[in-house]
Amino acid sequence: MIVRTVTSTACHALLDAAARDALEPLGMAPLDTSTWLDDHGWWVVAADFETLGARGTRLVIYADFLWHLRERPARTVVARVRKRGCLLDQDGDELACAYESDDQFAPLAAGLAERAATEVNAWREGFPTMRSWAAYLDAAAEDGGLWREYDAAVASALAGNEARARHWFARVFDHPVRPELYPDLDQDDVVQAQRIATGLTAMLDDDDAAFRAAVAERVAATRARLELPPYALD
């Protein structure tokens, strides 16, 4: 237990130093001891140096949309970084490194942080706008899934594609809510998603600006929970 604790602490310290050198120049900021955020207002991209105790560290890049009220970002769109490829097109062995000593791990941490910077730049280029996210989410939601469909609906509306937004909101309402006598683990999610979608679709019917303002209010609340600075959500 002592060895694992020391190993984890040493990994975090070396990764933090490496991340500061590689990611701070990109304008990223730490969320915690292992995760750095690239803030895009409506969404964030995270570089997570996922330390696995004595088993080493791997790099995970993911994005989350801040219209979900959460205490920390979720891995909504995620890639576990591998030796080849970039963005969501990863190939080869998982890019991971084990800790043996500070001298051995320091250059590995620096390499991992540099790869994180490369990946974050790829995500910036691949998803520079809400329109680009709307296109991606529209395709991803075709495979189904309550929250995929919900995210596709919100992103489409924010990107100005009202027809696709209505399509995906309709799919959200297609999910059945089971009676209380037959509890389902997903029931609370379905109820929550449909309740929020009801309010948003009503605003979409009346006023695009009201829809945008309602989503922006949720985003601002999540940003406050994450202690992110105010952002002009235009």
Side-chain angles (χ1 to χ4, degrees):
M1 183 65 71
I2 294 175
V3 172
R4 285 198 295 271
T5 300
V6 171
T7 300
S8 179
T9 301
C11 283
H12 284 313
L14 291 169
L15 286 166
D16 181 70
R20 289 186 185 280
D21 288 342
L23 302 182
E24 275 190 345
L26 299 182
M28 296 179 68
L31 175 66
D32 53 34
T33 57
S34 66
T35 305
W36 286 67
L37 292 185
D38 192 30
D39 185 2
H40 295 268
W42 298 93
W43 73 91
V44 291
V45 173
D48 186 359
F49 300 94
E50 191 175 25
T51 303
L52 307 173
R55 291 188 292 150
T57 300
R58 64 187 174 200
L59 176 61
V60 179
I61 309 292
Y62 62 92
D64 192 27
F65 305 99
L66 301 184
W67 50 72
H68 296 281
L69 298 178
R70 312 193 205 271
E71 299 303 322
R72 65 173 291 119
R75 295 181 177 186
T76 298
V77 181
V78 61
R80 189 175 291 173
V81 176
R82 298 182 179 275
K83 290 186 177 180
R84 297 185 296 275
C86 67
L87 194 57
L88 298 173
D89 185 19
Q90 300 288 334
D91 186 39
D93 296 333
E94 189 172 274
L95 190 65
C97 50
Y99 176 89
E100 297 173 8
S101 68
D102 284 7
D103 290 342
Q104 168 268 344
F105 189 76
L108 299 179
L112 209 59
E114 289 169 6
R115 178 63 183 274
T118 299
E119 293 292 328
V120 167
N121 279 322
W123 284 67
R124 287 179 175 181
E125 293 175 6
F127 300 109
T129 63
M130 184 57 68
R131 188 178 299 275
S132 61
W133 273 119
Y136 170 82
L137 293 169
D138 186 84
E142 291 292 352
D143 292 333
L146 173 70
W147 291 113
R148 283 184 181 182
E149 294 159 357
Y150 176 84
D151 286 337
V154 175
S156 294
L158 292 175
N161 193 336
E162 184 176 326
R164 295 307 288 172
R166 293 187 185 281
H167 168 79
W168 291 118
F169 275 130
R171 287 274 291 267
V172 168
F173 290 118
D174 281 344
H175 289 265
V177 178
R178 299 196 179 191
E180 292 184 5
L181 291 176
Y182 302 95
D184 181 81
L185 292 177
D186 293 330
Q187 180 174 343
D188 288 346
D189 276 355
V190 172
V191 170
Q192 179 187 11
Q194 292 181 351
R195 177 179 56 80
I196 300 168
T198 297
L200 290 178
T201 51
M203 292 177 188
L204 196 58
D205 290 337
D206 296 334
D207 183 0
D208 288 350
F211 178 96
R212 196 175 188 86
V215 177
E217 183 178 357
R218 294 179 64 84
V219 171
T222 301
R223 294 182 64 83
R225 292 185 182 189
L226 297 175
E227 298 183 353
L228 295 173
Y231 197 99
L233 299 169
D234 50 20

